């Protein structure tokens, strides 16, 4: 079996928007409108789902009851005219739709690009592991209007690439220390000031690095609840679709170091790092604890794997954001402090 890559987006294609997790509150609806216009400006027909806004009659941080969100996502995944699906942003409990999806029908359908990160990793990582479909761990819709940092590309560019395309991304060496833009005040924001310096670094040891494998991973707080289940069987993925091994990427959104340490240990016990040639750890603002930093949490759980561990990779909740394609064959080079990640869509 090989990873299936969706057909590239072409002008006139339909892009579905559905809130698989959190809905959009009224006070930032203008940002959603601007983000939709950004995608439409690339020549795509944007289809807005019914599960989109926050609703007073639905408890919890979701756009609609789980069965409605699952049904809308299934409709978009199996509609051959919808070529990509992107949520407004993440949320908290996308896991409640997993058991409601028809995974056999998804695997049998023509593959569709699904994009997102944070809580959306709860869905896109199983789509790759279980249905064998490449997905994009990339900016959700509300972040899509931001201009990519120097050296990075947008998920819109990746989804339009021809099969077999290889592309490289180089980190800009800067990141954003502050919180995100207040979309209530600046709904049309397109620039993110990168106000701090910082590049990738090895946690396991010093020295240069050149390693390769199939990308798989996501947000620790969300995928740790799926890895090891039938929908998160990484060893099966390695056997069937990544015999060359994997590059596992992980990122902490907000949990403290003790919790991240426990979750990484659990992911390791569940087989997440079997066949891994390296681990990529995203830069994080998640808090340290009194006797453990976030970096120490990673090394406590994963240091004895005896594989390279690269930290401060730009693929988490700290801007800028480097899109990663789950299922893509990738190479990471870190030479004399200069980093590059190359991905191949095939």
């Amino acid at each position: 079996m090989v990873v299936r890559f969706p057909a590239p987006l072409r002008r006139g294609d339909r892009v579905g928007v559905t809130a698989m997790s959190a809905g959009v509150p009224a006070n930032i609806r203008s940002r959603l409108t601007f983000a939709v216009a950004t995608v439409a400006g690339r020549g795509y027909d944007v289809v807005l789902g019914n599960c989109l806004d926050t609703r007073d009659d639905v408890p919890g941080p979701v756009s609609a009851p789980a069965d409605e969100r699952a049904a809308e996502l299934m409709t978009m995944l199996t509609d051959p005219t919808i070529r990509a699906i992107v949520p407004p942003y993440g949320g908290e409990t996308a896991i409640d739709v997993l058991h409601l999806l028809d995974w056999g029908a998804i695997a049998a359908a023509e593959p569709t690009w699904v994009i997102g990160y944070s809580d959306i990793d709860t869905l896109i990582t199983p789509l790759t592991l279980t249905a064998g479909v490449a997905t994009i761990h990339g900016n959700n819709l509300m972040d899509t209007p931001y201009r990519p940092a120097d050296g990075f590309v947008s998920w819109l560019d990746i989804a339009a690439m021809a099969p077999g395309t290889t592309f490289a991304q180089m980190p800009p060496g800067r990141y954003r220390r502050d919180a995100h833009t207040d979309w209530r005040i600046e709904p049309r924001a397109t620039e993110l000031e990168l106000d701090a310096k910082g590049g990738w670094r090895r946690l396991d040891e010093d020295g240069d690095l050149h390693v390769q494998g199939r990308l798989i991973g996501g947000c620790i707080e969300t995928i740790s609840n799926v890895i090891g289940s039938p929908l998160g069987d990484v060893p099966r993925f390695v056997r069937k679709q990544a015999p060359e091994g994997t590059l596992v990427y992980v990122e902490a959104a907000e949990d403290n170091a003790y919790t991240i340490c426990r979750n990484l240990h659990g992911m390791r016990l569940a087989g997440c790092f079997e066949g891994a040639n390296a681990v990529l750890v995203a830069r994080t603002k998640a808090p340290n604890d009194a006797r453990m930093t976030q970096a120490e949490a990673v090394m406590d759980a994963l240091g004895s794997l005896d594989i390279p561990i690269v930290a401060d990779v730009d693929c988490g909740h700290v801007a800028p954001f480097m899109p990663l394609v789950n299922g893509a064959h990738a190479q990471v080079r870190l030479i004399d402090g200069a980093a590059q990640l190359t991905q191949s869509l095939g």
Side-chain angles (χ1 to χ4, degrees):
M1 296 177 64
V2 296
V3 176
R4 297 184 298 151
F5 289 82
L9 288 180
R10 296 290 181 259
R11 291 184 66 87
D13 281 349
R14 303 174 83 209
V15 175
V17 178
T18 180
M20 312 159 195
S21 185
V24 180
N27 62 0
I28 57 171
R29 197 54 157 77
S30 55
R31 176 62 174 185
L32 176 66
T33 300
F34 182 62
V36 167
T38 299
V39 177
R42 297 286 290 263
Y44 304 128
D45 177 16
V46 180
V47 180
L48 298 181
N50 294 317
C51 302
L52 204 56
D53 301 312
T54 56
R55 285 169 42 182
D56 293 336
D57 63 323
V58 180
V62 293
S63 64
D67 59 342
E68 293 182 24
R69 284 179 283 124
E72 184 160 276
L73 180 57
M74 278 300 306
T75 296
M76 290 187 177
L77 283 170
T78 56
D79 183 343
T81 70
I82 292 182
R83 307 307 311 143
I85 303 169
V86 60
Y89 42 52
E92 300 293 341
T93 57
I95 195 169
D96 63 359
V97 306
L98 288 180
H99 71 290
L100 299 171
L101 300 177
D102 186 338
W103 290 93
I106 294 171
E110 184 178 351
T112 301
W113 283 117
V114 184
I115 303 97
Y117 81 109
S118 192
D119 196 29
I120 307 306
D121 287 332
T122 314
L123 296 167
I124 65 172
T125 304
L127 279 170
T128 301
L129 292 175
T130 303
V133 176
T135 55
I136 301 176
H137 173 84
N139 280 331
N140 299 313
L141 181 61
M142 301 288 261
D143 286 321
T144 297
Y146 290 124
R147 183 179 65 83
D150 292 344
F152 289 170
V153 299
S154 166
W155 71 260
L156 285 165
D157 297 320
I158 295 172
M161 291 177 180
T165 297
T166 296
F167 65 99
Q169 297 182 97
M170 289 72 68
R174 304 189 67 84
Y175 66 95
R176 181 164 181 166
R177 189 183 357 241
D178 301 326
H180 283 188
T181 306
D182 188 339
W183 291 326
R184 296 170 299 177
I185 300 171
E186 299 181 75
R188 300 174 65 86
T190 58
E191 297 291 332
L192 276 173
E193 180 186 359
L194 305 181
D195 57 359
K197 293 182 179 180
W200 302 4
R201 60 192 176 97
R202 290 188 66 171
L203 288 182
D204 57 310
E205 62 180 45
D206 295 326
D208 294 341
L209 173 67
H210 182 195
V211 66
Q212 57 187 320
R214 295 257 170 201
L215 285 167
I216 196 70
C219 178
I220 296 167
E221 288 93 330
T222 64
I223 68 169
S224 62
N225 298 290
V226 179
I227 297 297
S229 75
L231 298 178
D233 191 337
V234 176
R236 180 182 62 191
F237 175 76
V238 172
R239 291 193 306 271
K240 293 186 175 182
Q241 293 162 306
E244 69 271 48
T246 58
L247 299 180
V248 180
Y249 64 91
V250 293
E251 64 113 350
E254 59 188 8
D255 280 352
N256 61 41
Y258 296 153
T259 303
I260 292 299
C261 184
R262 285 192 295 269
N263 286 344
L264 286 174
H265 272 289
M267 290 167 64
R268 179 175 178 173
L269 290 172
C272 185
F273 304 98
E274 289 187 23
N277 298 326
V279 178
L280 311 181
V281 183
R283 180 178 290 110
T284 185
K285 294 179 183 175
N288 299 322
D289 278 299
R291 294 179 60 84
M292 177 175 281
T293 67
Q294 289 284 336
E296 289 169 342
V298 172
M299 291 305 295
D300 184 271
L302 307 181
S304 61
L305 290 174
D306 197 27
I307 59 175
I309 299 177
V310 182
D312 293 337
V313 178
D314 303 276
C315 62
H317 281 69
V318 178
F321 201 99
M322 177 181 65
L324 302 177
V325 180
N326 285 317
H329 184 83
Q331 298 185 51
V332 173
R333 290 182 176 86
L334 186 58
I335 299 174
D336 292 332
Q340 180 183 78
L341 186 142
T342 303
Q343 302 177 66
S344 298
L345 305 185

